[in-house]
């Protein structure tokens, strides 16, 4: 069975600084990978996903994540964050053939002015 | 209304009360899900419904009782809950249960006194 590890519970960063949110997973089969974002008082929204093809995937608001099979990682990055990026970020993985993703504990991104 | 809606948004109940959470999706999806979100813990999948039939039940205590009268509506009936059941309860939907991406509602914040 797959598991997801988000090592950082909280990541504080100043506005316009770069940020990386780490995600590692354990699985012995092919996987689909996701990042969801949860803004205060809202549900989760899909930020980006890797299903197949290019290992670098991008979102419309400047985030990107790279699938690294050898390191079983799917870290989320943004070169310059905004105050509005303050939110909880969840990494999720589903194994090929499984329909339900397993979620990590979440990383709270706090952007300071 | 668009997307996935949940009512009420906040609920406070005593341990002897009976209450229900409601979820409605306006996306034409055939699968619906209940998740429990506790602070700094991974999302816990509770129930999965596909075309109004329950396809997964992750060992949830019987004090939680789901109901799916049609593919657009999902209920979670609550009875004699415990304080540790206090959490954010999230509803989600997807086109069908083999589709990896899920669309979440804003959640119901439940407090059990």
């Amino acid at each position: 069975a797959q598991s997801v590890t988000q090592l950082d519970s909280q990541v504080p960063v100043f506005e316009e600084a770069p940020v990386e949110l780490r995600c590692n997973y354990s699985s012995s089969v092919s996987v689909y990978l996701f990042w969801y974002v949860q803004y205060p008082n809202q549900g989760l929204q899909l930020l980006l996903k890797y299903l197949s093809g290019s290992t670098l995937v991008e979102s419309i608001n400047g985030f990107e994540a790279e699938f690294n099979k050898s390191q079983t990682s799917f870290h989320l990055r943004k070169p310059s964050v905004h105050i509005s990026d303050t939110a909880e970020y969840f990494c999720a993985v589903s194994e090929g053939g499984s329909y339900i993703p397993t979620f990590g504990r979440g990383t709270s991104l706090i952007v300071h002015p | 209304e668009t997307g996935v809606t949940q009512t009420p948004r906040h609920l406070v109940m005593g341990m002897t009360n009976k209450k229900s959470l409601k979820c409605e999706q306006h996306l034409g999806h055939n699968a619906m899900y209940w998740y429990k979100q506790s602070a700094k813990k991974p999302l816990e999948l509770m129930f999965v419904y596909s075309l109004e039939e329950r396809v997964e039940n992750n060992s949830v205590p019987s004090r939680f009782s789901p109901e799916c009268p049609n593919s657009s509506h999902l209920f979670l009936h609550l009875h004699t809950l415990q304080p540790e059941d206090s959490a954010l309860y999230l509803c989600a939907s997807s086109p069908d249960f083999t589709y990896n991406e899920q669309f979440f509602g804003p959640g119901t914040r439940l407090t059990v006194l």
Side-chain angles (χ1 to χ4, degrees):
Chain A
Q2 70 265 31
S3 66
V4 180
T5 302
Q6 292 182 250
L7 288 171
D8 305 306
S9 174
Q10 200 173 86
V11 174
V13 65
F14 287 106
E15 195 173 18
E16 298 183 9
V19 71
E20 178 179 83
L21 307 183
R22 296 180 292 171
C23 173
N24 288 88
Y25 66 91
S26 64
S27 174
S28 58
V29 299
S30 62
V31 294
Y32 299 149
L33 297 158
F34 308 83
W35 277 100
Y36 283 83
V37 59
Q38 184 179 31
Y39 298 105
N41 301 314
Q42 295 185 29
L44 279 69
Q45 304 172 37
L46 183 69
L47 187 61
L48 47 76
K49 61 184 176 183
Y50 169 80
L51 302 181
S52 64
S54 173
T55 57
L56 183 66
V57 291
E58 298 177 354
S59 72
I60 58 173
N61 57 353
F63 283 93
E64 64 178 31
E66 186 161 19
F67 169 48
N68 188 318
K69 187 175 181 179
S70 62
Q71 297 187 4
T72 60
S73 68
F74 191 56
H75 301 330
L76 182 70
R77 303 183 183 94
K78 188 171 185 179
S80 176
V81 295
H82 301 286
I83 295 286
S84 59
D85 292 323
T86 294
E88 194 84 13
Y89 291 80
F90 293 89
C91 181
V93 60
S94 65
E95 292 182 331
S98 168
Y99 51 92
I100 305 293
T102 298
F103 287 84
R105 294 172 180 268
T107 296
S108 181
L109 175 63
I110 302 170
V111 181
H112 297 287
Chain B
E1 290 279 12
T2 59
V4 181
T5 58
Q6 292 186 243
T7 54
R9 293 293 308 276
H10 300 271
L11 178 62
V12 179
M13 60 186 289
M15 289 190 285
T16 58
N17 291 157
K18 288 184 180 181
K19 296 287 184 183
S20 295
L21 310 185
K22 179 183 175 182
C23 174
E24 184 174 1
Q25 57 95 2
H26 309 267
L27 301 168
H29 290 169
N30 290 321
M32 298 186 76
Y33 313 79
W34 279 117
Y35 284 91
K36 177 183 179 182
Q37 184 180 18
S38 304
K40 288 308 170 188
K41 291 177 66 176
L43 264 68
E44 299 174 46
L45 179 67
M46 301 176 72
F47 301 103
V48 181
Y49 275 84
S50 176
L51 296 172
E52 301 116 60
E53 288 193 18
R54 190 187 308 179
V55 297
E56 185 143 341
N57 171 4
N58 277 6
S59 302
V60 179
S62 60
R63 57 186 183 269
F64 294 92
S65 174
E67 178 189 1
C68 188
N70 55 63
S71 59
S72 298
H73 293 85
L74 185 65
F75 295 88
L76 187 63
H77 303 299
L78 315 172
H79 176 52
T80 59
L81 295 191
Q82 304 298 311
E84 59 265 28
D85 296 322
S86 298
L88 182 69
Y89 288 85
L90 292 167
C91 174
S93 71
S94 62
D96 60 62
F97 74 89
T98 65
Y99 192 83
N100 290 282
E101 179 183 347
Q102 297 176 333
F103 298 77
F104 286 82
T108 294
R109 174 68 63 186
L110 174 66
T111 303
V112 182
L113 302 176

